[in-house]
Amino acid sequence: MYQVYIRSFADGNGGGVGDIAGMKSRLGYLRDLGVDAVWINPWYESPMLDGGYDVSNFREIDPLFGSTAEATEFIEAAHEHGIRVIADLVPNHTSAQHVWFQEALAAKPGDPARDRYVFHPGKGADGAEPPSDWESVFGGPAWTRLSDGDWYLHIFDGSQPDLNWEHPEVRADFEEILRFWLDRGIDGFRIDVAHGLVKDLTFPDTGGRTELLGTKHPVDHPFWDRDGVHEIIRTWRAILDQYDDRMMVAEAWVHRERLPLYLRPDEYHQSFNFDLVEAKWNAESFAEIISTSYKASSAIDAASTWVLSNHDVVRHSTRYGLPAETDVRRWLLEGPHEDLEAELGNVRARAAGLISLSLPGSSYLYQGDELGLPEVWDLPTDVLQDPVWERSEHKAKGRDGCRVPLPWEPTGPSLGYGPGEPWLPQPAQFAQLAASVQAADPTSMLLLYRQAIALRREHLIHTEQLEMIDLGPNVLAYQRGSITVIVNMSDKPVPVPRGNLLISSDPGQTGSQLAPDTAAWIGTQ
Ligand code: NOJ
């Protein structure tokens, strides 16, 4: 599954922002890469205050990206290239520009027009304090007060009011939205903030308790992962099941013990597993994540998913070039930037690609992973657009650095991304990473990915089997059907297992030793 962050993929109509025409023009590239499907980040009408995750109309494509007719044509064209299309759906909140929120604003406190959102009087003598201590994911309070004194909830930015999923009209509208896109040929949905939606409407304080994933046992939380969410998912699944072969994948940041609930046979087909995003570069940590996640999905007969990067996290080629103890988000702004060993990060990212593509289930690639793009951590602060930058009062740099437009050609004003100035500047080093440069270089990351995807299709997708094996200290190794996967995460060369070397992340691989930070797939039967 290839994730297309549409704003930064390819700009076909010259507005500086990627669009449907751009995606369509690059379908050949995606076919040659060998992907089965694309997941497109939100393309709906939006004021774009959170990169399109602030939707003002779920049934219209934003004019920046094209039109609804073009979206339908794109889906057909992708299908002709053998590629399925997954849309991003954002049910937790809308944009403040959505007609429902505009109606709510025009109404008075207590008016039913406000019931589609989560409005509440404040605490304290004159209601001047927010109804609860809930914090926004982007920093600051999750409540904003209107001039008429009423407060509304926004778990993300103030421009993204949370919907009230107890309201029958909200439920009915989303069921129609699903059908709207399914009828236009969409193959499925990536559901944003799938563990949100349902809130405890008695609004208990959290006491600052926001940790969800790292706790030993699951904790009860007033706005995350509440049981009521499953009833909603089941109604969506029933709709999908009325069509042929459609799917839903959940963005659910929930405790490991709770994740299987989302994957029951009448709920999601898949849920992202973000554990590899958090993994430190050592064999023990990777092995633990791989075997635990695999066992958990096998136990409930669900497909595993593997994610190294996406549009919300620091690109892994940069993460792997930093000392293990680095708090990567803080490092973006605070450094020390001389700690970054970019070449080491790149070498490890090649190996990581071979890990992700060798595992059973679905491997999710984020656009640019296949080019080895680094995080652009040094974007000047005056170009930053992620709301995190402002909401954190300039204490966190946000996610722009992983969203810089792709380089397609080594020259030209936006390196082949489009005819005009791109919405975020591309760094000079992107020129040599351009897709056309890499397509002509047999040692490139792009060709490594192409070969690995082709080999995966040939040897790996027919089996779900995975067995961890011991090939020495700090060496990650497992058997997948007839293939042994070995990743040397130690600092000394290790012997390559006997067999037929199918691919190595080291383009100069010769002989019987595997260098540090290198992965290889060996045909052993
Ligand atoms: C998760 C998305 O991946 C992220 O980009 C977005 O900001 C939030 N959900 C809010 O919709």
Side-chain angles (χ1 to χ4, degrees):
M1 178 82 80
Y2 184 94
Q3 178 190 350
V4 177
Y5 192 69
I6 179 168
R7 307 161 76 215
S8 304
F9 187 67
D11 173 14
N13 65 19
V17 178
D19 47 36
I20 297 178
M23 287 195 299
K24 205 164 164 203
S25 72
R26 298 293 179 182
L27 278 170
Y29 170 84
L30 294 170
R31 183 202 46 219
D32 294 348
L33 183 57
V35 302
D36 296 312
V38 289
W39 144 38
I40 302 169
N41 286 104
W43 52 2
Y44 314 103
E45 193 184 279
S46 162
M48 303 288 162
L49 297 177
D50 181 23
Y53 282 95
D54 47 326
V55 179
S56 50
N57 185 343
F58 290 92
R59 293 172 182 80
E60 289 286 350
I61 294 289
D62 195 278
L64 266 182
F65 301 140
S67 64
T68 307
E70 266 185 278
T72 316
E73 278 162 32
F74 171 78
I75 298 168
E76 279 165 19
H79 288 168
E80 279 159 22
H81 283 75
I83 296 172
R84 304 219 209 167
V85 184
I86 306 299
D88 209 317
L89 194 65
V90 191
N92 181 69
H93 44 265
T94 69
S95 155
Q97 297 306 318
H98 191 285
V99 61
W100 282 353
F101 198 69
Q102 290 299 310
E103 277 173 34
L105 289 181
K108 296 203 165 49
D111 190 290
R114 291 200 170 172
D115 291 348
R116 299 184 193 110
Y117 294 89
V118 185
F119 278 86
H120 205 70
K123 284 196 208 162
D126 56 356
E129 286 165 40
S132 70
D133 69 350
W134 300 0
E135 277 170 26
S136 151
V137 173
F138 292 159
W143 294 96
T144 289
R145 194 177 199 196
L146 298 179
S147 55
D148 59 25
D150 218 4
W151 294 80
Y152 71 90
L153 177 71
H154 53 86
I155 297 300
F156 293 89
D157 190 49
S159 63
Q160 295 164 297
D162 279 52
L163 285 164
N164 172 14
W165 274 87
E166 306 302 329
H167 198 295
E169 248 183 276
V170 171
R171 293 190 182 218
D173 197 50
F174 271 86
E175 290 173 19
E176 264 182 37
I177 293 165
L178 289 176
R179 288 204 180 87
F180 179 91
W181 288 104
L182 290 165
D183 289 341
R184 278 159 185 75
I186 208 80
D187 295 286
F189 300 95
R190 175 263 188 194
I191 305 289
D192 188 60
V193 199
H195 57 310
L197 316 190
V198 175
K199 319 276 150 56
D200 182 342
L201 297 180
T202 66
F203 308 112
D205 281 346
T206 62
R209 187 171 44 82
T210 48
E211 175 72 51
L212 260 190
L213 307 178
T215 53
K216 189 146 192 265
H217 297 293
V219 291
D220 187 41
H221 196 279
F223 54 90
W224 294 135
D225 189 25
R226 300 193 62 77
D227 288 336
V229 85
H230 296 285
E231 188 193 318
I232 302 167
I233 303 168
R234 287 193 197 105
T235 60
W236 296 348
R237 176 64 185 257
I239 293 172
L240 261 68
D241 285 348
Q242 289 163 8
Y243 292 76
D244 58 330
D245 209 17
R246 314 291 171 108
M247 67 88 82
M248 296 193 290
V249 51
E251 186 218 16
W253 296 81
V254 300
H255 193 278
R256 273 185 193 185
E257 286 177 28
R258 301 268 304 174
L259 199 58
L261 298 176
Y262 288 75
L263 296 166
R264 287 177 282 194
D266 55 352
E267 300 201 19
Y268 285 99
H269 299 81
Q270 296 189 342
S271 178
F272 294 131
N273 171 1
F274 294 116
D275 290 358
L276 283 184
V277 173
E278 312 280 333
K280 296 287 172 210
W281 188 259
N282 67 68
E284 197 189 340
S285 140
F286 270 69
E288 198 274 326
I289 289 168
I290 291 170
S291 60
T292 316
S293 310
Y294 171 71
K295 275 190 212 137
S297 347
S298 314
I300 53 167
D301 209 16
S304 316
T305 61
W306 310 99
V307 178
L308 293 168
S309 283
N310 64 29
H311 64 294
D312 290 330
V313 302
V314 174
R315 282 190 179 272
H316 59 273
S317 147
T318 299
R319 294 200 312 264
Y320 296 149
L322 289 167
E325 64 284 359
T326 309
D327 175 336
V328 179
R329 283 243 152 267
R330 290 184 66 162
W331 175 88
L332 289 180
L333 188 62
E334 295 167 22
H337 296 128
E338 54 282 8
D339 274 359
L340 178 63
E341 291 184 60
E343 186 46 34
L344 175 68
N346 183 265
V347 166
R348 289 178 172 176
R350 293 176 68 96
L354 290 193
I355 298 174
S356 175
L357 288 168
S358 71
L359 290 167
S362 293
S363 176
Y364 279 79
L365 317 183
Y366 175 47
Q367 67 179 37
D369 284 359
E370 81 283 15
L371 300 176
L373 295 189
E375 180 82 6
V376 187
W377 55 265
D378 51 356
L379 282 171
T381 53
D382 60 349
V383 303
L384 299 181
Q385 300 207 11
D386 185 351
V388 167
W389 173 242
E390 289 302 333
R391 284 197 68 86
S392 70
E393 292 169 347
H394 301 179
K395 291 197 185 76
K397 221 171 173 185
R399 300 161 294 176
D400 296 287
C402 65
R403 300 174 174 180
V404 174
L406 291 194
W408 293 95
E409 303 290 339
T411 54
S414 64
L415 305 176
Y417 159 77
E421 279 281 293
W423 69 277
L424 278 176
Q426 296 154 309
Q429 69 177 130
F430 267 30
Q432 85 217 29
L433 297 172
S436 69
V437 174
Q438 297 205 33
D441 173 3
T443 68
S444 69
M445 184 79 92
L446 178 59
L447 289 212
L448 180 79
Y449 264 79
R450 275 196 202 160
Q451 286 158 17
I453 292 172
L455 287 167
R456 169 184 170 87
R457 198 178 296 287
E458 189 182 339
H459 298 281
L460 291 170
I461 59 170
H462 314 288
T463 176
E464 288 288 300
Q465 181 258 356
L466 174 129
E467 200 182 316
M468 305 307 290
I469 48 185
D470 184 2
L471 292 179
N474 215 1
V475 175
L476 172 71
Y478 41 89
Q479 191 69 29
R480 289 270 295 116
S482 60
I483 296 199
T484 303
V485 176
I486 172 169
V487 191
N488 181 7
M489 294 174 148
S490 77
D491 53 8
K492 294 187 187 59
V494 297
V496 181
R498 248 211 291 258
N500 174 23
L501 177 72
L502 293 173
I503 190 167
S504 166
S505 62
D506 175 359
Q509 176 76 42
T510 48
S512 56
Q513 298 291 302
L514 194 68
D517 301 309
T518 304
W521 298 358
I522 320 286
T524 43
Q525 276 161 32

Coordinates of all heavy atoms in Angstrom, one line a residue, residues 92 174 248 347 367 494:
N92 N -14.1 12.1 12.8 CA -14.0 12.7 14.2 C -14.4 14.1 14.3 O -15.0 14.6 15.3 CB -12.6 12.5 14.8 CG -12.6 13.0 16.2 OD1 -13.2 12.4 17.1 ND2 -11.9 14.1 16.5
F174 N -22.7 10.2 7.6 CA -21.5 9.4 7.2 C -21.8 8.1 6.5 O -21.0 7.7 5.6 CB -20.6 9.2 8.5 CG -19.7 10.4 8.6 CD1 -20.0 11.5 9.3 CD2 -18.4 10.4 8.1 CE1 -19.2 12.6 9.4 CE2 -17.6 11.4 8.2 CZ -18.0 12.6 8.8
M248 N -11.5 -1.4 4.9 CA -11.3 -0.2 5.7 C -10.1 -0.5 6.6 O -10.0 -1.6 7.2 CB -12.5 -0.1 6.8 CG -13.8 0.2 6.3 SD -14.9 0.7 7.7 CE -15.1 -0.8 8.6
V347 N 21.6 4.2 4.9 CA 22.0 2.8 4.9 C 21.0 1.9 5.6 O 20.5 0.9 5.2 CB 23.4 2.6 5.4 CG1 23.8 1.1 5.7 CG2 24.4 3.2 4.4
Q367 N 5.0 7.9 0.6 CA 5.6 8.5 -0.6 C 7.0 9.1 -0.3 O 7.1 9.8 0.7 CB 4.8 9.5 -1.3 CG 4.6 10.8 -0.5 CD 3.7 11.8 -1.3 OE1 2.7 11.4 -1.9 NE2 4.0 13.1 -1.1
V494 N 28.7 -10.1 9.8 CA 28.2 -11.5 10.2 C 28.1 -12.4 9.0 O 27.9 -11.8 7.8 CB 26.9 -11.5 11.0 CG1 27.0 -10.7 12.3 CG2 25.7 -10.9 10.1

